Amino acid sequence: MIHSSRQARPTSTLRRTASATPSFNTDATEFSKQFAFHHLLNSPLPSPALPSIVPRHGKKPTPRPLRKAFRVSARLSTWLCGLALIYWLLRALRSTTDSPSSITYLSLNVNEFNIAAQDSSNPDAAPMIVADPRKKPKWTVSIPQDASFPLKPSQYADICAQSDHIVKQLSAGHTHFHASSHQSQAATHFVDVQEAHDQGLLSSPPGKEIRFDEGISRDNDMADIQKNKKAKAHGESRNPQICEKSLTFLMESADAGMGKTLLGLWMAYGLAQEEGRAFFIDDSNWAYGKYTTFFKPPPVPSCRLPPATQRIPCPHQTRHLVVSTSTYQWVFGDLIEPLPQHHSHKKTTRKHRAFSIARAGHDALFHLTGADANYLSTRLAELDTSTKSRGGLTIGLHVRRGDRRPWEPQYSDSYIPPSTYLNIAQSILNAHFNPQNTTLTHEAASGIATSTILLASDDPEIYSTPEFTAPSVQRAQSQILLASKATLDAALPDPAPAPIADDPAFIKFVEPNVGWEGGFFASIFWGLGNPIEGRRAARGERDERPTAKPNEETLKLR
C-alpha cells in the first residue's frame, strides 16, 4: 500500500473571528434597520481568481496586436465617414449658393412650369425650362419667329451665359456634377428646338404657323452664292433638303481687326468637318464687307439651312450651331481653356487638336481672289528664287503696335524693342544652321547670309528704324503701304488756314493730315469714312451694330 507524503488540504472555511466582527446594537437607529448589511461582513472573502490557462468556452483568445489594429481601423473608418458626410454637405450647400438668385423662374418642381404660355409671350431670344412628356425638366432655346437673323453677338453670348445657369439649376440634384462634365450635363437635359416644337414644348406665335421648310434667310448673300453655285454646277433643284446638322459662322465682330475672326472661322470649319456638319458663312454684318471680296467661297454643302429659329449658339450638341466671336468659349472651350500645370499630357493633346483643326480650316478656306491672289503667287516665287533655292531660310516678323500692348510686365506700358525681334530671328537661324552651337562652317555661314527676314507692321515708321534697315530685312508685301504723316505732307502739304470771306475775324479750320504713326487703333478704323463713328468709338460709345451700314467708300478704305 502506497502512502502519500503530502498532507491533506484543510477543509475548513476561512471565516472572521467573532472578535473581529464589529458589534451592532439591536436597538439601532432607523437607518440601521433599513440598511442592515452586517450579514455581509460575516460572509467569506472572495477567493482571488487567477487567469485561466484553458480558453473560456473553447474560444481562442484574440492576440493583443490584432485587437489594437481593429480598434484603430474602426476609429479611422468613423473619421472617414464623418469627413465624407461633411464633404457631401458642403457640395450640396455650394451647388445651392452658386445658383443665381436672379433667375427666379427656375424651379425643380415640374408642376410650376408654364410650358406653352411662356414661349408665346416672350419677345426675346432666351433659353427656357420645359417639361418633356414624362414630366421631366428639360431646357431648350426659344427664338421669336419674327427675329431677324443673325442676332447681335452680345445676344448670343447672353443666351449661352443664361444656359449655363439653367444647366446648374437642373443639375443641382446630382452630387456628381462638376465643371468638367458641364457639356455632358447640358446634353443630358437639352431638347433640340425642332424636337421641342414637334413635342409641343414650344408654341408658335398666334396666327403664324411654324414652317420647317422655310429655307435660308434672304439677306444671307454667302448662302445664296453657295446655293446658286451648287445648283448651276450640278443642275440640281434650288430646294434641296434641310441639313441634318450644320454650323453657321458669323463674320460679325466687335473687334476691329480681322485676325481673331479669321482664326475662329478656320477653327469652326475644322470642327464642322470633324463633327460631320454642313458649313455656312454669314457675312451680312461684317465690318470689312463681303467675304468673297477677299477669299474664294467655301466648299458648297449639298443641303440647305433650317429656319433661323433652329439655329442657336449653344449647347455644342445642338443640331444647327451658330458660332460667333462672342461664343468662342462655349464652342471651343475644351480646346482653348487653360489646364493646370500637372496636366501636361492633356495640355499637349489639346494643342495638337486645336492646331490640327485650325490647319484644316486654313488649308480649305484661305484662298485669295483677284489681284491679291496674283500678287501672292508672284511674291512667293520671288522668295523661292532669292532665298529658298540658295539654301536660305525665310523668317517672318510681325511688329504689332497701336492699341495692343505686350504681355511682358517690363513692356506693358510701351512696346517690345526692335532689337528683341532681331535677336529671336538670329537665334532661329543659328538653331537651324548650327544646331550643335559649334564653329560656323562655310555652308552654315552661307545659309545664314542668304536668309531673309520678312517684316510686317501696322506702324509705317517701323520700316525706317536702324535695326530693320539691314539688307536681309524686306517688307512682307509692297502692294499696300501705310502712309505716315511725313509721307502725306510731302505729297500733299497741309493747306494754310484762311479767313472766312464773309467774316474775316474768323479763321476756317482745316483738318491736318493724319497718318498711321503709332500703329493700328480701333477708333481710327471705325472712323474711316465716318469721323463721327470714330469719335464715338474712342469714347467707348460705339453701337454694337450701327443702324446705317458702311458705305462703299468706307468699305474701300477699310
Side-chain angles (χ1 to χ4, degrees):
M1 184 175 184
I2 300 176
H3 294 275
S4 175
S5 61
R6 292 185 296 179
Q7 296 180 359
R9 180 183 297 180
T11 58
S12 62
T13 306
L14 295 177
R15 291 182 179 272
R16 295 181 183 270
T17 61
S19 60
T21 305
S23 61
F24 289 90
N25 190 2
T26 55
D27 297 330
T29 62
E30 187 67 22
F31 177 83
S32 61
K33 292 181 181 179
Q34 296 179 1
F35 301 95
F37 49 86
H38 58 275
H39 62 281
L40 299 177
L41 299 178
N42 295 326
S43 63
L45 293 176
S47 177
L50 297 176
S52 176
I53 300 177
V54 180
R56 296 183 180 91
H57 307 292
K59 294 183 179 180
K60 191 174 183 179
T62 305
R64 189 175 298 273
L66 293 180
R67 284 183 291 175
K68 185 176 181 181
F70 176 77
R71 288 196 300 269
V72 172
S73 60
R75 292 177 182 176
L76 183 60
S77 301
T78 305
W79 275 100
L80 291 178
C81 292
L83 291 176
L85 179 61
I86 295 174
Y87 176 76
W88 182 83
L89 292 175
L90 292 177
R91 289 290 299 272
L93 180 63
R94 188 178 66 174
S95 63
T96 304
T97 55
D98 286 347
S99 301
S101 58
S102 59
I103 307 180
T104 56
Y105 61 89
L106 297 181
S107 174
L108 292 179
N109 185 3
V110 182
N111 297 326
E112 297 179 5
F113 293 154
N114 295 324
I115 304 302
Q118 64 179 358
D119 303 341
S120 302
S121 61
N122 186 11
D124 300 326
M128 59 179 52
I129 295 181
V130 295
D132 63 4
R134 296 181 299 174
K135 301 302 180 182
K136 297 293 184 180
K138 301 288 183 180
W139 73 280
T140 187
V141 178
S142 175
I143 297 180
Q145 292 286 326
D146 56 352
S148 60
F149 184 87
L151 302 176
K152 294 181 180 180
S154 61
Q155 291 178 287
Y156 287 121
D158 290 342
I159 291 175
C160 293
Q162 295 171 15
S163 300
D164 289 345
H165 296 316
I166 288 181
V167 172
K168 286 184 179 180
Q169 286 280 344
L170 296 180
S171 305
H174 301 276
T175 57
H176 61 275
F177 176 77
H178 192 264
S180 60
S181 62
H182 177 75
Q183 286 194 0
S184 61
Q185 291 288 342
T188 301
H189 300 288
F190 177 71
V191 179
D192 199 76
V193 178
Q194 182 176 357
E195 296 178 359
H197 279 290
D198 293 341
Q199 298 175 10
L201 306 181
L202 291 177
S203 59
S204 59
K208 187 169 184 179
E209 181 184 2
I210 297 177
R211 295 177 56 196
F212 290 105
D213 56 350
E214 292 178 355
I216 60 177
S217 56
R218 295 180 180 179
D219 58 346
N220 190 349
D221 293 340
M222 272 303 306
D224 286 336
I225 290 174
Q226 298 179 34
K227 183 174 62 175
N228 295 337
K229 183 178 178 181
K230 179 71 176 180
K232 292 179 180 179
H234 299 278
E236 298 176 356
S237 171
R238 290 193 55 184
N239 190 27
Q241 295 294 325
I242 292 179
C243 303
E244 182 180 354
K245 296 171 61 178
S246 69
L247 189 152
T248 304
F249 184 84
L250 306 181
M251 300 295 293
E252 182 180 9
S253 174
D255 192 358
M258 188 185 291
K260 182 179 179 180
T261 304
L262 289 181
L263 180 59
L265 172 69
W266 299 336
M267 293 189 66
Y269 179 86
L271 189 65
Q273 298 303 305
E274 187 179 85
E275 297 179 352
R277 297 176 181 266
F279 183 77
F280 297 89
I281 296 177
D282 185 281
D283 58 358
S284 56
N285 294 291
W286 194 26
Y288 287 87
K290 298 301 179 184
Y291 179 84
T292 52
T293 304
F294 307 95
F295 307 100
K296 294 181 180 180
V300 182
S302 59
C303 55
R304 62 189 177 97
L305 283 168
T309 55
Q310 298 185 34
R311 286 175 274 172
I312 57 179
C314 52
H316 188 101
Q317 294 79 9
T318 185
R319 291 182 181 177
H320 304 287
L321 185 64
V322 175
V323 181
S324 172
T325 54
S326 62
T327 61
Y328 282 175
Q329 58 177 316
W330 288 279
V331 180
F332 310 120
D334 290 341
L335 298 175
I336 61 179
E337 288 182 357
L339 282 173
Q341 190 66 30
H342 60 277
H343 290 170
S344 58
H345 178 68
K346 292 183 179 180
K347 191 180 297 185
T348 304
T349 305
R350 274 190 181 184
K351 287 183 178 179
H352 279 293
R353 182 166 177 256
F355 279 105
S356 176
I357 289 176
R359 168 61 68 179
H362 172 273
D363 294 344
L365 302 179
F366 190 73
H367 300 292
L368 300 177
T369 60
D372 293 335
N374 297 331
Y375 179 80
L376 178 61
S377 300
T378 303
R379 183 63 174 140
L380 291 177
E382 292 176 357
L383 293 174
D384 287 342
T385 304
S386 61
T387 304
K388 187 176 180 180
S389 61
R390 299 171 58 187
L393 189 66
T394 303
I395 299 177
L397 295 181
H398 184 198
V399 181
R400 181 70 163 90
R401 295 296 177 91
D403 51 9
R404 289 296 185 186
R405 297 293 182 177
W407 290 340
E408 289 81 355
Q410 64 270 32
Y411 304 123
S412 59
D413 294 330
S414 59
Y415 300 105
I416 298 177
S419 58
T420 304
Y421 290 92
L422 287 179
N423 292 336
I424 295 177
Q426 190 64 39
S427 63
I428 294 175
L429 292 175
N430 292 333
H432 180 78
F433 292 102
N434 188 19
Q436 303 299 330
N437 197 19
T438 58
T439 304
L440 283 179
T441 61
H442 176 73
E443 183 179 358
S446 176
I448 294 176
T450 56
S451 296
T452 302
I453 297 177
L454 296 181
L455 177 62
S457 178
D458 58 339
D459 187 356
E461 294 183 345
I462 286 294
Y463 299 101
S464 59
T465 55
E467 291 84 355
F468 294 131
T469 55
S472 59
V473 180
Q474 301 181 17
R475 288 177 179 262
Q477 56 86 27
S478 57
Q479 188 175 13
I480 301 176
L481 300 178
L482 298 177
S484 61
K485 188 178 186 306
T487 304
L488 293 175
D489 291 341
L492 185 63
D494 292 334
I500 300 177
D502 297 339
D503 193 348
F506 292 93
I507 304 297
K508 182 179 180 180
F509 173 76
V510 178
E511 187 173 355
N513 293 324
V514 178
W516 287 94
E517 289 86 358
F520 182 90
F521 289 87
S523 58
I524 297 178
F525 173 82
W526 298 120
L528 292 175
N530 191 348
I532 298 178
E533 189 70 20
R535 288 192 289 270
R536 295 189 61 187
R539 296 193 300 266
E541 302 174 355
R542 179 182 177 273
D543 294 335
E544 183 181 12
R545 183 184 292 175
T547 305
K549 291 189 176 182
N551 53 34
E552 294 184 3
E553 183 65 22
T554 299
L555 293 177
K556 185 177 180 181
L557 291 173
R558 290 179 178 178

